[in-house]
Amino acid sequence: MSHFAHSTLGQSSYPRLTRSLSAVESWGFGLTAHISWTALVPAIHAALGFQAIFVWIPAVIFGMLLNYQVKSLGIHFINVAGGTPNYTTKLLQRYPGLARYAAIGYLLNWISYLSVNTIVLRDLIKVNLEALGITCPDIFLDLSFTLLPFIVAFSGTRALSILHLFFVIPAFGLLITFCVQGLAWLAFSPVSPGFFPNNWSSLSFGDWAKWFFFVTYATYSCETASSFVADSRQPTQTLRFLDVAAWMMPPIFLGGSWVVMRLATNPNLKDNAFLNLVAASQPFWGKFAGLSVSFLLVAACLLGSATVVSNCPRILYQLSLDNHLSPVFSVVSRRGVFVPALTLTLLLCLVYLIWGDVARIVAVGNVGWFVSFMLMHLGLWLGRDRPEVLFPRISLGIFLLEVVVLLVGGFAWGWLNFLIGLLFPIGVLGIDAVIRRVNFAPFHTSWWLRRYRTRSVVIIKDSVILQVSILIFLLCSAVAVGWLFGVKLHNVATAGGENIFVVLLMSVAFVGVAIACWTTLPQVVAIAEARESAEHLFTVAQDGILVVDDQGIIQQANPATKSFFGVNPSELLGNHLNKWLPALVYYPDQWTKRSEQPLLGHGKNRTLEVSISDRPHQDFQEYVVILHDITQRKQAEQILQYSEAQLRQEAKQLASQLVHSEKMSSLGQLVAGVAHEINNPVNFISGNIGYANQYIQDLLRLLQLYQQNYPHPATEIQKETEAIDLNFMIADLPNLLTSMTVGAERITEIVLSLRNFSRLDEAEMKAVNIHEGIDNTLMILEHRLKPKSNHLTIEVIKEYGDLPLVECYAGQLNQVFMNLLANAIDALQESVENIEWGVGEKALPTLQIRIQTKLTSENQVVICIADNGTGIPEKVQKHLFEPFFTTKPIGKGTGLGLSISYQIITQKHQGKLQCISAPGQGTEFVIVIPLNQQSN
């Protein structure tokens, strides 16, 4: 597999982190570093005494500033997992080598913390077991305490976070109590040695740098909550906890250290954490000091280990997403388990554990850790123009100081440890390079993809047996172990038996949770997921769902039932279902499993399909009723019964429309063809009339000359002159030619109107003069406007507004004008025909057609065509625009004119066509179309 394909799978094939952690659970991980103070303070106190406070003060200040800076970065990178090291890679993205080194150095220090915790717990248990006469191999204790947090982590994040929170709250509360109560005892107790020492000794810079390098192990790690922002349900709340974590540092790191340095003054205590803390707390805790300190130390170790297996995989995961590490580390199971990342963390932890030396592990791990924060502060300075960077100048100053501390303090812990610490991150990057290139299936995301998509072949059909068996095993084991240690504690008179009790109690708690994570917890999670899924379906279902008892009384109702019954679901409870579905009999066991029931409600009849299934319980019987509205389906079935006749009618109408459309198209072509054919001879006639007129005038002048010069023509000429009435012909011939000229011009105008009306060259939408279209239509209809034997003159009144060119289908719009004007002429002629002709001429009405045009402020063109005829009854107006509807006698109308006109205006031009009429008041058709049509 190529590297590109490998990377693609790693980036896109697996689900990203689901926001499953509550803010409180992520806060718990942010308190781990504060509790780890218990392991650090004895060492620095034993080395520096009171001067240690001068190391803690700047370390705490820098740590608090770091928390605020990490919070700002976290808000900017709200979906980035892993926290500080992955924010550093974003800051140093122009320097990917330094970015990877910084992140791996941070990671290795956290992993070393788990190894240190394992060794501390092993030594603590081993000492207490030897006091009871029980021996246990070191390898067994090392592996047990190393694998214990991994076993829980491999089962999922939620269980580990809840377990961590369960113990971190009392542990942190106990630690705060120690610090506050200790300071109060120093300040106010009469037997206090005094709040301040009597004298101070000097502190060299070398010692300061050495121990500043050491304490940053705790003060720089109070930002751990940021690692869980990407899978927190409330990421901003998680980040706000960094403020709290910052202000918890002074009372713990400064106040607690001061209590230890003032009260644990016996030089024989050396750097033993347990002895120093007991000595410091015994003055105010008395006999409970040993038990409390044991709980604090064990909690610090176990909670620190839990934080490591939660934090480190997220760092590796985000580094993989950002292409800093192999894509295989971005693999996350559907339960949120980082299997490859956890595996690498476990292997690196075992490498640290092989050394078996706490001091060396801390020294080596702290080198990469310190360099990581150096590079972070450098990145803050380099990105000083970015809005998420808060203190760029301070960061530069801290960076320069850290460079000096690294060289002075790092070498103070041994040059070999310093060198190993510097090279260890490079070695991890080398391991990653091998993983990228070795053709081993688990090193590729595709192998994990197939594994997670494959269902488990082991299916436990009866998990109750398994759970009971596990419960019996745990109870028997707990009783056996309790009896064994009870006997040992009774036989061995030793103080400190309560210490082993605390260790065993917390260890058994972790072991119990680990066992539950692999046995009971998956079943509980499956049950919870099934319940949530069922509740979700119950809530979002579109169908109504009811749960009724064996009497038919409604016990539960989902929100969808409101649309069925018209009342809130809560109002349904306690009522019998037949209150709304009366056709159902009283007892549900007599109901049909599936039936159709009428529902009366909302003022209309509805039909419901009712499905019923029983749900037996151990103590009672329930029935689930599912309601599905099939009213529309029933109506559709009724409609389908008449669909065939309706389709035939629609087909007939469509055919008629097609015929009319074809006729109109043919008519347009015919009109255009006739106009073209007539145009040629008319042009010939009109072109020659002028010459003919000239010739005739010349002949008449010649004839007049003959009459003047030969006043007495021959008898034959005189007789012919009288026969043809020469004088009348000479007088009438010019008038005849003038009439011919007028007729030719009239024919030319009619041909032009016919061509403009047909507009075959304007089938597309164009901007045209609407008034020309109306005038051309009137020209064609002029013969119907003139008086005839039984028709009066129809007067056309034009009230044209100032219209610009209008975008339209000109030919089709002219058809509308033709239909409306022709109907208006028909209406006026019918009104005259209905009048009795015996009345005098004065009684006859004045027939008028009024045409108005205007442009509205909304750029709408309005065309009104009104006549003063008899009007249209209201019942006829309702059907005017229906196809084939006509009031004309058979043979005089098709009933398609207004229907086609309505379609042309409303569909083709996105306009409106309205008829305004009343009997005896005439009729007005109003056309409204946009000035500019929307382009399709």
Side-chain angles (χ1 to χ4, degrees), residues 451-756:
R451 181 175 180 272
Y452 286 141
R453 285 181 176 176
T454 304
R455 291 181 177 270
S456 176
V457 296
V458 179
I459 301 177
I460 303 174
K461 295 183 178 181
D462 191 352
S463 62
V464 176
I465 296 177
L466 176 62
Q467 308 309 322
V468 173
S469 301
I470 294 172
L471 181 61
I472 294 173
F473 171 76
L474 291 177
L475 289 175
C476 294
S477 300
V479 171
V481 173
W483 177 80
L484 176 63
F485 279 94
V487 172
K488 292 290 184 180
L489 289 172
H490 178 73
N491 294 333
V492 179
T494 177
E498 67 277 4
N499 298 337
I500 191 63
F501 170 75
V502 171
V503 176
L504 289 175
L505 179 64
M506 297 188 66
S507 301
V508 168
F510 270 75
V511 171
V513 172
I515 295 174
C517 286
W518 289 94
T519 55
T520 305
L521 187 60
Q523 305 296 329
V524 174
V525 170
I527 293 172
E529 291 176 349
R531 177 181 54 79
E532 291 174 359
S533 177
E535 290 178 350
H536 177 71
L537 291 175
F538 186 78
T539 303
V540 303
Q542 297 297 316
D543 289 338
I545 303 176
L546 300 168
V547 178
V548 300
D549 61 12
D550 56 354
Q551 300 296 318
I553 305 300
I554 300 173
Q555 304 296 322
Q556 288 180 275
N558 74 329
T561 54
K562 183 176 181 180
S563 63
F564 289 88
F565 302 115
V567 297
N568 290 324
S570 59
E571 299 179 22
L572 298 174
L573 306 184
N575 293 290
H576 198 284
L577 184 56
N578 64 9
K579 180 178 179 180
W580 289 273
L581 302 176
L584 293 177
V585 295
Y586 196 80
Y587 296 106
D589 57 358
Q590 300 177 20
W591 295 349
T592 306
K593 294 297 182 183
R594 177 169 294 183
S595 62
E596 296 180 2
Q597 302 291 337
L599 172 67
L600 298 179
H602 302 288
K604 60 181 180 179
N605 294 333
R606 301 173 69 184
T607 304
L608 302 183
E609 183 181 65
V610 181
S611 302
I612 302 168
S613 64
D614 56 351
R615 187 169 65 174
H617 291 270
Q618 292 182 351
D619 301 323
F620 55 90
Q621 180 76 24
E622 283 186 342
Y623 295 86
V624 179
V625 181
I626 300 176
L627 308 177
H628 181 65
D629 191 347
I630 60 172
T631 305
Q632 294 183 352
R633 190 183 78 186
K634 301 295 289 185
Q635 293 174 350
E637 291 175 354
Q638 295 176 359
I639 293 173
L640 287 175
Q641 296 176 0
Y642 306 100
S643 61
E644 185 177 356
Q646 184 179 358
L647 288 174
R648 282 199 300 266
Q649 182 66 20
E650 291 178 354
K652 183 179 179 181
Q653 293 177 3
L654 180 60
S656 299
Q657 292 178 6
L658 292 175
V659 170
H660 176 78
S661 177
E662 186 64 26
K663 285 182 178 180
M664 295 301 294
S665 177
S666 301
L667 178 61
Q669 295 177 2
L670 176 62
V671 168
V674 171
H676 178 73
E677 293 299 328
I678 293 176
N679 191 53
N680 289 332
V682 168
N683 287 337
F684 175 77
I685 293 171
S686 61
N688 289 307
I689 284 178
Y691 297 109
N693 186 36
Q694 183 66 39
Y695 296 160
I696 290 173
Q697 294 295 332
D698 292 343
L699 290 174
L700 290 177
R701 284 194 302 270
L702 180 61
L703 182 59
Q704 289 175 357
L705 289 174
Y706 270 104
Q707 288 178 341
Q708 293 174 4
N709 294 320
Y710 300 97
H712 303 287
T715 303
E716 185 177 359
I717 293 175
Q718 189 174 359
K719 291 180 179 180
E720 185 65 24
T721 300
E722 293 176 355
I724 64 176
D725 195 358
L726 180 62
N727 291 331
F728 174 78
M729 185 176 62
I730 290 174
D732 191 54
L733 186 57
N735 295 332
L736 180 63
L737 289 173
T738 301
S739 298
M740 292 174 65
T741 302
V742 173
E745 290 176 354
R746 175 65 177 160
I747 294 173
T748 301
E749 291 176 356
I750 292 174
V751 169
L752 180 61
S753 297
L754 289 173
R755 293 181 62 185
N756 289 338

Side-chain angles (χ1 to χ4, degrees), residues 795-811:
E795 180 184 3
V796 178
I797 303 173
K798 301 178 183 179
E799 298 177 355
Y800 290 168
D802 186 11
L803 294 184
L805 298 181
V806 180
E807 288 186 1
C808 63
Y809 295 97

Side-chain angles (χ1 to χ4, degrees), residues 100-110 365 367-370 372 425:
R100 281 192 290 269
Y101 185 92
I104 297 301
Y106 182 101
L107 171 81
L108 289 175
N109 187 61
W110 269 105
V367 172
W369 170 264
F370 201 79
S372 173

Side-chain angles (χ1 to χ4, degrees), residues 332-471:
V332 185
S333 74
R334 301 191 184 278
R335 293 174 59 188
V337 182
F338 309 81
V339 178
L342 278 170
T343 303
L344 179 62
T345 303
L346 176 59
L347 294 176
L348 293 175
C349 179
L350 294 176
V351 171
Y352 276 121
L353 197 61
I354 292 173
W355 284 344
D357 184 348
V358 172
R360 189 174 185 183
I361 293 174
V362 172
V364 170
N366 214 34
V367 172
W369 170 264
F370 201 79
V371 172
S372 173
F373 283 97
M374 282 175 49
L375 294 175
M376 179 185 179
H377 288 120
L378 176 62
L380 292 172
W381 168 250
L382 294 176
R384 55 189 175 275
D385 296 329
R386 300 172 68 158
E388 63 271 19
V389 176
L390 299 182
F391 321 109
R393 295 181 182 275
I394 295 177
S395 298
L396 177 62
I398 295 175
F399 166 73
L400 296 175
L401 177 63
E402 287 172 338
V403 171
V404 177
V405 170
L406 176 66
L407 296 176
V408 176
F411 271 105
W413 289 98
W415 69 268
L416 183 59
N417 293 332
F418 182 78
L419 183 62
I420 295 174
L422 288 177
L423 295 178
F424 204 175
I426 299 175
V428 174
L429 293 174
I431 295 173
D432 175 67
V434 173
I435 292 175
R436 289 174 182 264
R437 289 168 174 76
V438 172
N439 189 19
F440 179 56
F443 291 169
H444 301 283
T445 54
S446 58
W447 183 84
W448 294 100
L449 182 62
R450 289 192 299 270
R451 181 175 180 272
Y452 286 141
R453 285 181 176 176
T454 304
R455 291 181 177 270
S456 176
V457 296
V458 179
I459 301 177
I460 303 174
K461 295 183 178 181
D462 191 352
S463 62
V464 176
I465 296 177
L466 176 62
Q467 308 309 322
V468 173
S469 301
I470 294 172
L471 181 61

